[in-house]
Amino acid sequence: MASKTETRARKANSPKARPQTRAPAEVKSDDPLYLQVVRALKDEIVGGVHPVGSQLPTEEELCERFSVSRYTVREALRRLREDNLVSSRQGAGTIVVPPRPADSFVHEVMSINDLVAFATGVRFAIDTIEMIEIDDKLSSRTGIASGENWLSVRGLRHTDGNEFPVCWTEVYINREFAAVGRLLQRHTGPIFHLIEDLFGQSIVEVHQEIAAALISPALAGGLKVKAGATALEVQRTYKLATGKIAQVAINTHPAARFRHSMTMRRVKG
């Protein structure tokens, strides 16, 4: 039988127990490595392992924990920032931040196809459809020549389960394609798809501009915000291969309920 002295010696020489690190969330084997890291960290943030205001482990520590490269860890942290779960500052590390309000609308655009997803994911409650003459003020806003007749479509956009509208939408359609107006009340997808399908045209370019604005008294009630509140106007001009403008859309979003996400990658050459 071992003596008390021998027992104490064995305890003294045994390695200290290391704190247990939460195992990564279960993921599919074919998921990219950075997504595996994202899901594991997101699970821990939501579960309170990393509370709001706390600092995530360093890049080096995450690399060691997940056995991945620094590039993979940085991509994972970028995705967490895009999801507004963390913020990063040089010299301060990566901090867990409070979640965004549930009524915040995030619109991520990387291609024209993403505009299809936007139009499909929100419901357009049309208020008015009418032919109008473009006046000088509207010409200045849209870039459409003053004096021309265009089809005007206006209304609010909603997402299911959200009491607040996403935005106020104005769509101006070239009179050559105004016949699409007869189908809009029953249409659920993007309007420019109707133009392409009905007239055999192809939208090849969409120019987008985002500008700050103020909510007018006329829009405040429908958007459920105070008149004069800050807004973001997202204007898109849809062009055919000939350069002709087929459609101009202006979405007015209450600034507190909108975030626009765009990913840029370096092109070699």
Side-chain angles (χ1 to χ4, degrees):
M1 178 181 294
S3 67
K4 293 183 179 179
T5 303
E6 290 172 330
T7 302
R8 290 195 194 100
R10 287 171 185 169
K11 288 183 178 179
N13 294 330
S14 62
K16 294 182 179 179
R18 295 183 179 179
Q20 293 297 314
T21 303
R22 181 166 175 158
E26 184 178 345
V27 292
K28 297 178 181 179
S29 60
D30 57 350
D31 282 338
L33 287 175
Y34 79 91
L35 280 182
Q36 297 182 32
V37 177
V38 167
R39 291 194 177 107
L41 293 177
K42 187 178 292 187
D43 178 61
E44 292 179 1
I45 291 171
V46 172
V49 176
H50 306 295
V52 171
S54 67
Q55 189 173 25
L56 288 185
T58 65
E59 289 184 2
E60 184 177 352
E61 290 170 335
L62 291 173
C63 288
E64 182 178 353
R65 173 187 169 185
F66 292 101
S67 301
V68 295
S69 68
R70 190 177 291 268
Y71 173 84
T72 297
V73 166
R74 287 176 177 172
E75 181 66 13
L77 294 177
R78 182 187 68 80
R79 290 294 294 266
L80 290 175
R81 287 194 297 271
E82 285 187 352
D83 290 342
N84 204 48
L85 292 172
V86 301
S87 66
S88 300
R89 285 190 306 170
Q90 190 166 1
T94 301
I95 307 297
V96 179
V97 298
R100 260 181 201 276
D103 60 358
S104 179
F105 181 78
V106 181
H107 185 201
E108 182 169 0
V109 176
M110 296 175 63
S111 69
I112 292 179
N113 288 343
D114 291 324
L115 299 180
V116 177
F118 167 72
T120 303
V122 294
R123 176 170 46 86
F124 189 10
I126 296 175
D127 186 43
T128 61
I129 301 177
E130 58 183 346
M131 291 297 300
I132 65 169
E133 182 177 319
I134 304 296
D135 58 22
D136 291 341
K137 183 177 180 180
L138 190 54
S139 174
S140 178
R141 283 184 72 205
T142 61
I144 301 171
S146 181
E148 292 187 0
N149 292 316
W150 284 55
L151 180 68
S152 169
V153 184
R154 302 180 184 187
L156 292 166
R157 290 189 183 272
H158 301 263
T159 54
D160 292 337
N162 195 335
E163 62 174 310
F164 296 104
V166 171
C167 62
W168 170 260
T169 294
E170 307 164 55
V171 182
Y172 302 99
I173 302 169
N174 192 308
R175 67 175 300 167
E176 291 186 25
F177 313 118
V180 301
R182 299 194 302 269
L183 305 175
L184 292 181
Q185 292 288 6
R186 302 185 301 276
H187 183 64
T188 57
I191 295 176
F192 74 85
H193 263 191
L194 277 180
I195 295 175
E196 292 179 321
D197 292 343
L198 291 180
F199 296 92
Q201 299 289 338
S202 180
I203 302 295
V204 299
E205 177 183 307
V206 180
H207 176 72
Q208 175 173 282
E209 292 184 5
I210 302 177
L214 299 177
I215 302 290
S216 68
L219 298 184
L223 289 172
K224 298 186 178 183
V225 294
K226 292 182 179 180
T230 307
L232 290 174
E233 275 194 355
V234 181
Q235 178 173 316
R236 300 187 183 98
T237 302
Y238 298 73
K239 294 184 178 182
L240 306 176
T242 60
K244 177 182 293 186
I245 297 176
Q247 171 186 314
V248 176
I250 303 175
N251 294 316
T252 303
H253 296 263
R257 304 204 299 256
F258 178 74
R259 180 162 60 100
H260 179 80
S261 175
M262 180 175 63
T263 301
M264 293 176 285
R265 300 188 183 279
R266 187 179 296 278
V267 178
K268 295 181 179 180

